[in-house]
Amino acid sequence: MDALHMTDELVAFFTKELSEMQLQTKDETVFKAPTVYDGYLPQKKNGRRGEEDTEQDDYPFVIVRFLYEKDDLKDKNVMKFRLLIGTYSKDDRQGWRDTLHVMNRMKFALKEVGCVGPGELTGEIELALFEEQMKPMWRGVMEVDIATPAVKLDRSEFGDDFNY
């Protein structure tokens, strides 16, 4: 399993697990589940060119971002992912709770299944809220390690004389 496929597996998993959540958007009459993206948020429109600035339209969201991979070349392959969570709330005192609620839902879902696709949860799950918040937009971060089967190359077609 490569990092691209594992990223896609995590996006599909979190999209399903968070689909029933209803969180506030900048339009206070609209509530929706977090949209799960791979890598980065979509590019914003340029306010200087007269296009509407839609930064707050992305909320709530989850970004699944691949950080790095450790492959011991024999049996183990571990990938680290950072999950960025963003919610929207005009409540200056309690707005952070939505972000923590999403992170808890994600953590419990991961722990319940133990694996996503061919990847197995390993190590620790780390959660943190950003110390400085851009109210009314609230953000948090999670990091998870996923162990996947190591890729084994079949070199039998090269015969016994194959050396690097």
Side-chain angles (χ1 to χ4, degrees):
M1 165 75 40
D2 65 49
L4 289 171
H5 289 102
M6 194 64 234
T7 301
D8 293 342
E9 291 280 349
L10 287 167
V11 168
F13 175 77
F14 289 125
T15 297
K16 180 179 179 275
E17 291 298 321
L18 301 174
S19 66
E20 299 200 12
M21 293 189 84
Q22 293 296 299
L23 299 167
Q24 185 178 355
T25 65
K26 80 172 186 176
D27 179 348
E28 294 178 23
T29 64
V30 176
F31 291 79
K32 69 175 194 167
T35 304
V36 183
Y37 298 100
D38 61 332
Y40 297 85
L41 287 174
Q43 188 169 349
K44 305 286 176 266
K45 294 181 179 182
N46 189 336
R48 286 189 243 167
R49 286 194 239 157
E51 298 172 355
E52 184 180 341
D53 183 4
T54 60
E55 180 178 4
Q56 295 174 355
D57 290 341
D58 293 322
Y59 289 78
F61 67 80
V62 171
I63 299 170
V64 177
R65 186 172 294 162
F66 169 78
L67 290 182
Y68 65 85
E69 179 175 5
K70 289 183 182 180
D71 188 337
D72 75 1
L73 305 179
K74 300 257 189 265
D75 303 317
K76 233 165 69 172
N77 191 53
V78 177
M79 298 177 196
K80 182 170 281 293
F81 289 88
R82 178 169 292 147
L83 310 167
L84 301 160
I85 296 87
T87 60
Y88 183 91
S89 175
K90 289 188 177 178
D91 186 338
D92 285 347
R93 185 157 152 22
Q94 299 292 315
W96 61 273
R97 296 173 81 75
D98 286 340
T99 302
L100 188 56
H101 181 60
V102 173
M103 292 192 306
N104 281 332
R105 174 86 55 102
M106 293 168 64
K107 178 180 80 168
F108 298 148
L110 283 171
K111 289 178 76 169
E112 185 176 325
V113 297
C115 60
V116 176
E120 182 179 356
L121 187 63
T122 185
E124 301 173 337
I125 300 175
E126 297 179 41
L127 289 80
L129 291 170
F130 289 0
E131 194 66 31
E132 297 293 323
Q133 296 288 346
M134 303 182 320
K135 301 171 190 171
M137 299 172 288
W138 302 84
R139 294 186 181 180
V141 63
M142 296 175 63
E143 289 191 2
V144 297
D145 293 336
I146 305 286
T148 61
V151 174
K152 302 217 186 236
L153 300 176
D154 180 10
R155 295 195 171 112
S156 61
E157 67 182 86
F158 297 109
D160 293 335
D161 296 332
F162 183 74
N163 290 322
Y164 273 103

